[in-house]
Amino acid sequence: MEAGGLEWLLVPMQQLVSWGAAGAMVFGGVVPYIPQYRDIRRTQNAEGFSTYVCLVLLVANILRILFWCFIYFPFFFFFFFGFGRRFESPLLWQSIIMIITMLLMLKLCTEVRVSNELNIKRRSFAAADSKDEEIKAPPKRSYLDFDLNYFWHWSKFADYVQCVLTFTGVTGYITYLWLDSSLFVEMLGFLAVFTEAMLGVPQLYRNYQNRSTEGMSVKMVLMWTSGDTFKTVYFILNQAPFQFSICGLLQVFVDIAILLQVYLYSYYPQKPVSHTAHPASTKAL
């Protein structure tokens, strides 16, 4: 009787824990970007945040979805009805929500950057006493210009959307052509994991270029570190494929390197704290 009573209690508890873990897996990945998004809106300055972080996550999650969808269910319609083969459904929904989040981040960063460029132009005219001259908007850079010098630094959010759609279409078509190659399938899955492991590298390089972490949300990096550590331990304990554990450890090392930059540039600043280009705003990741 007691065993039966405990089983009656444990089954719902296990179900709740399972739902909670699934919810954390789906939404936990986007939580670190909430303070960054709020800081950019508050300060109207996106210079401290590397939009290449968005590029890395968009590529990684698109590859992950294509890997699952085209390998096991060639028709996208079945994507919504056949979860549970290679990736669990929370991981797939996590990818979808992450893609939406990164697009929202790109939209905000693009609007803020273009607005700031125009404000700088206006201030330069005012300083030169050129009030009678027409204030020209900064030159527009478009995805369709195919100028590698301004790749992922375009003037309109629509250009980023076009690039993402083009990448999805091209990689999806290539994946469809190589469905019968097990080597290609495994390479696609590895690229998805490895690309995500490179998540923090653009921010690490941006901090190195600026010689400062000003404008970068430390909260975001701390959330990265805790999440990546939890994920890596999960992979190791559950004996996930070897490349998962290696890529997880790589992510943790990059996160720690960024935190070391925070310490180094805070206690041993290598440039003035304020930015001349944006005197009225504080950088936020």
Side-chain angles (χ1 to χ4, degrees):
M1 293 293 292
E2 293 182 0
L6 289 175
E7 183 178 354
W8 175 84
L9 179 63
L10 288 176
V11 170
M13 289 294 294
Q14 291 175 349
Q15 188 67 39
L16 287 175
V17 171
S18 176
W19 288 345
M25 185 68 71
V26 171
F27 297 102
V30 304
V31 170
Y33 300 95
I34 296 176
Q36 179 63 68
Y37 187 91
R38 294 179 61 185
D39 286 346
I40 293 175
R41 286 186 62 90
R42 176 176 56 84
T43 63
Q44 288 300 296
N45 190 340
E47 290 298 321
F49 176 69
S50 174
T51 54
Y52 286 100
V53 171
C54 301
L55 174 62
V56 170
L57 280 174
L58 285 169
V59 170
N61 285 281
I62 288 170
L63 290 177
R64 182 192 293 178
I65 291 175
L66 287 175
F67 173 71
W68 185 91
C69 183
F70 281 93
I71 300 309
Y72 296 106
F73 292 90
F75 300 101
F76 187 78
F77 174 79
F78 291 103
F79 170 75
F80 295 99
F81 299 97
F83 289 126
R85 297 248 182 155
R86 181 62 173 263
F87 294 127
E88 296 179 354
S89 57
L91 292 177
L92 290 171
W93 285 111
Q94 178 197 58
S95 294
I96 296 172
I97 292 175
M98 183 62 74
I99 290 173
I100 296 173
T101 302
M102 290 302 101
L103 290 175
L104 291 175
M105 288 291 296
L106 281 172
K107 185 175 186 298
L108 176 64
C109 290
T110 304
E111 292 173 351
V112 169
R113 174 169 49 81
V114 172
S115 176
N116 286 340
E117 288 177 353
L118 184 58
N119 289 336
I120 293 172
K121 191 85 171 179
R122 288 172 177 168
R123 286 197 294 269
S124 65
F125 273 100
D129 294 327
S130 303
K131 298 180 181 179
D132 295 334
E133 298 184 28
E134 181 182 358
I135 300 177
K136 297 181 181 179
K140 293 184 178 180
R141 309 180 186 100
S142 172
Y143 162 69
L144 296 178
D145 294 337
F146 301 108
D147 189 345
L148 293 179
N149 293 324
Y150 296 105
F151 175 77
W152 211 249
H153 196 72
W154 301 306
S155 301
K156 292 183 179 180
F157 172 66
D159 292 307
Y160 294 94
V161 175
Q162 289 177 1
C163 181
V164 170
L165 292 177
T166 301
F167 174 79
T168 304
V170 171
T171 52
Y173 181 69
I174 294 174
T175 302
Y176 178 76
L177 293 178
W178 288 83
L179 283 179
D180 295 332
S181 172
S182 59
L183 177 61
F184 177 83
V185 171
E186 294 302 323
M187 283 297 298
L188 183 66
F190 174 76
L191 283 176
V193 178
F194 181 75
T195 304
E196 186 175 1
M198 295 293 102
L199 166 63
V201 173
Q203 190 63 54
L204 183 72
Y205 183 66
R206 170 61 65 89
N207 296 340
Y208 173 76
Q209 280 186 315
N210 294 341
R211 297 296 193 275
S212 171
T213 57
E214 182 189 359
M216 187 193 71
S217 172
V218 179
K219 293 179 181 178
M220 183 188 73
V221 181
L222 289 173
M223 291 180 184
W224 277 358
T225 307
S226 60
D228 292 338
T229 301
F230 172 81
K231 180 173 62 177
T232 304
V233 172
Y234 177 86
F235 288 154
I236 294 174
L237 293 180
N238 287 273
Q239 298 181 345
F242 182 68
Q243 59 266 33
F244 280 67
S245 300
I246 293 297
C247 291
L249 288 172
L250 179 59
Q251 281 184 280
V252 173
F253 288 147
V254 173
D255 296 339
I256 293 174
I258 295 176
L259 292 175
L260 288 176
Q261 285 182 323
V262 174
Y263 173 80
L264 177 64
Y265 295 142
S266 297
Y267 289 93
Y268 304 97
Q270 300 184 29
K271 75 171 191 175
V273 175
S274 60
H275 291 267
T276 57
H278 303 281
S281 60
T282 304
K283 193 183 292 184
L285 179 74

